[in-house]
mmCIF file of all heavy atoms in Angstrom:
data_model
loop_
_atom_site.group_PDB
_atom_site.id
_atom_site.type_symbol
_atom_site.label_atom_id
_atom_site.label_comp_id
_atom_site.label_asym_id
_atom_site.label_seq_id
_atom_site.Cartn_x
_atom_site.Cartn_y
_atom_site.Cartn_z
ATOM 1 N N ASP A 793 -10.292 -43.645 -55.183
ATOM 2 C CA ASP A 793 -11.544 -43.290 -55.820
ATOM 3 C C ASP A 793 -12.617 -44.311 -55.309
ATOM 4 O O ASP A 793 -13.807 -43.773 -54.963
ATOM 5 C CB ASP A 793 -11.389 -43.389 -57.255
ATOM 6 C CG ASP A 793 -12.588 -42.762 -57.983
ATOM 7 O OD1 ASP A 793 -12.853 -41.557 -57.689
ATOM 8 O OD2 ASP A 793 -13.211 -43.409 -58.815
ATOM 9 N N VAL A 794 -12.399 -45.547 -55.177
ATOM 10 C CA VAL A 794 -13.346 -46.512 -54.742
ATOM 11 C C VAL A 794 -13.667 -46.247 -53.305
ATOM 12 O O VAL A 794 -14.911 -46.302 -52.935
ATOM 13 C CB VAL A 794 -12.839 -47.930 -55.038
ATOM 14 C CG1 VAL A 794 -13.709 -48.986 -54.336
ATOM 15 C CG2 VAL A 794 -12.817 -48.269 -56.602
ATOM 16 N N VAL A 795 -12.624 -46.026 -52.530
ATOM 17 C CA VAL A 795 -12.912 -45.881 -51.063
ATOM 18 C C VAL A 795 -13.763 -44.640 -50.800
ATOM 19 O O VAL A 795 -14.658 -44.645 -49.962
ATOM 20 C CB VAL A 795 -11.600 -45.673 -50.293
ATOM 21 C CG1 VAL A 795 -11.790 -45.236 -48.839
ATOM 22 C CG2 VAL A 795 -10.805 -47.148 -50.348
ATOM 23 N N ILE A 796 -13.409 -43.559 -51.484
ATOM 24 C CA ILE A 796 -14.185 -42.326 -51.391
ATOM 25 C C ILE A 796 -15.601 -42.415 -51.774
ATOM 26 O O ILE A 796 -16.558 -42.051 -51.163
ATOM 27 C CB ILE A 796 -13.547 -41.189 -52.168
ATOM 28 C CG1 ILE A 796 -12.055 -40.837 -51.419
ATOM 29 C CG2 ILE A 796 -14.370 -39.941 -52.192
ATOM 30 C CD1 ILE A 796 -11.318 -39.811 -52.322
ATOM 31 N N ASN A 797 -15.759 -43.072 -52.930
ATOM 32 C CA ASN A 797 -17.212 -43.221 -53.498
ATOM 33 C C ASN A 797 -18.058 -44.135 -52.528
ATOM 34 O O ASN A 797 -19.188 -43.792 -52.406
ATOM 35 C CB ASN A 797 -17.133 -43.844 -54.957
ATOM 36 C CG ASN A 797 -16.588 -42.729 -55.911
ATOM 37 O OD1 ASN A 797 -16.764 -41.560 -55.716
ATOM 38 N ND2 ASN A 797 -16.082 -43.247 -57.025
ATOM 39 N N ILE A 798 -17.469 -45.276 -52.161
ATOM 40 C CA ILE A 798 -18.229 -46.092 -51.251
ATOM 41 C C ILE A 798 -18.431 -45.350 -49.890
ATOM 42 O O ILE A 798 -19.643 -45.463 -49.457
ATOM 43 C CB ILE A 798 -17.431 -47.379 -50.961
ATOM 44 C CG1 ILE A 798 -17.217 -48.320 -52.346
ATOM 45 C CG2 ILE A 798 -18.009 -48.175 -49.939
ATOM 46 C CD1 ILE A 798 -16.527 -49.568 -52.078
ATOM 47 N N GLY A 799 -17.455 -44.709 -49.381
ATOM 48 C CA GLY A 799 -17.816 -43.949 -48.171
ATOM 49 C C GLY A 799 -18.792 -42.958 -48.173
ATOM 50 O O GLY A 799 -19.622 -42.698 -47.342
ATOM 51 N N ARG A 800 -18.876 -42.292 -49.422
ATOM 52 C CA ARG A 800 -19.923 -41.291 -49.650
ATOM 53 C C ARG A 800 -21.329 -41.886 -49.844
ATOM 54 O O ARG A 800 -22.345 -41.207 -49.706
ATOM 55 C CB ARG A 800 -19.576 -40.358 -50.717
ATOM 56 C CG ARG A 800 -18.367 -39.495 -50.552
ATOM 57 C CD ARG A 800 -18.012 -38.762 -51.718
ATOM 58 N NE ARG A 800 -18.937 -37.972 -52.255
ATOM 59 C CZ ARG A 800 -19.448 -37.990 -53.391
ATOM 60 N NH1 ARG A 800 -18.952 -38.724 -54.326
ATOM 61 N NH2 ARG A 800 -20.421 -37.111 -53.849
ATOM 62 N N SER A 801 -21.309 -43.081 -50.257
ATOM 63 C CA SER A 801 -22.570 -43.829 -50.577
ATOM 64 C C SER A 801 -23.438 -44.406 -49.454
ATOM 65 O O SER A 801 -24.639 -44.513 -49.539
ATOM 66 C CB SER A 801 -22.415 -44.799 -51.595
ATOM 67 O OG SER A 801 -21.690 -44.296 -52.728
ATOM 68 N N VAL A 802 -22.814 -44.617 -48.348
ATOM 69 C CA VAL A 802 -23.323 -45.239 -47.173
ATOM 70 C C VAL A 802 -24.135 -44.247 -46.338
ATOM 71 O O VAL A 802 -23.682 -43.195 -45.915
ATOM 72 C CB VAL A 802 -22.344 -45.982 -46.236
ATOM 73 C CG1 VAL A 802 -22.987 -46.589 -45.016
ATOM 74 C CG2 VAL A 802 -21.477 -46.952 -47.043
ATOM 75 N N PRO A 803 -25.471 -44.480 -46.121
ATOM 76 C CA PRO A 803 -26.341 -43.542 -45.441
ATOM 77 C C PRO A 803 -25.777 -43.495 -44.012
ATOM 78 O O PRO A 803 -25.331 -44.408 -43.386
ATOM 79 C CB PRO A 803 -27.704 -44.181 -45.493
ATOM 80 C CG PRO A 803 -27.727 -45.034 -46.713
ATOM 81 C CD PRO A 803 -26.334 -45.540 -46.826
ATOM 82 N N PHE A 804 -25.832 -42.228 -43.510
ATOM 83 C CA PHE A 804 -25.348 -42.011 -42.191
ATOM 84 C C PHE A 804 -25.982 -42.850 -41.164
ATOM 85 O O PHE A 804 -25.374 -43.495 -40.165
ATOM 86 C CB PHE A 804 -25.590 -40.565 -41.655
ATOM 87 C CG PHE A 804 -25.043 -40.296 -40.254
ATOM 88 C CD1 PHE A 804 -23.675 -40.322 -39.956
ATOM 89 C CD2 PHE A 804 -25.953 -39.977 -39.368
ATOM 90 C CE1 PHE A 804 -23.304 -40.086 -38.633
ATOM 91 C CE2 PHE A 804 -25.717 -39.697 -37.970
ATOM 92 C CZ PHE A 804 -24.280 -39.756 -37.671
ATOM 93 N N ILE A 805 -27.267 -43.099 -41.169
ATOM 94 C CA ILE A 805 -27.907 -43.866 -40.126
ATOM 95 C C ILE A 805 -27.513 -45.340 -40.091
ATOM 96 O O ILE A 805 -27.318 -46.049 -39.020
ATOM 97 C CB ILE A 805 -29.525 -43.827 -40.222
ATOM 98 C CG1 ILE A 805 -30.281 -44.287 -39.023
ATOM 99 C CG2 ILE A 805 -29.936 -44.560 -41.501
ATOM 100 C CD1 ILE A 805 -29.977 -43.546 -37.740
ATOM 101 N N ILE A 806 -27.233 -45.794 -41.344
ATOM 102 C CA ILE A 806 -26.642 -47.153 -41.524
ATOM 103 C C ILE A 806 -25.165 -47.335 -40.932
ATOM 104 O O ILE A 806 -24.860 -48.184 -40.187
ATOM 105 C CB ILE A 806 -26.730 -47.687 -42.951
ATOM 106 C CG1 ILE A 806 -28.154 -47.778 -43.288
ATOM 107 C CG2 ILE A 806 -26.048 -49.101 -43.065
ATOM 108 C CD1 ILE A 806 -28.388 -48.215 -44.734
#
Side-chain angles (χ1 to χ4, degrees):
D793 192 54
V794 168
V795 169
I796 291 172
N797 286 336
I798 292 176
R800 292 173 60 231
S801 302
V802 181
F804 174 67
I805 193 66
I806 295 177

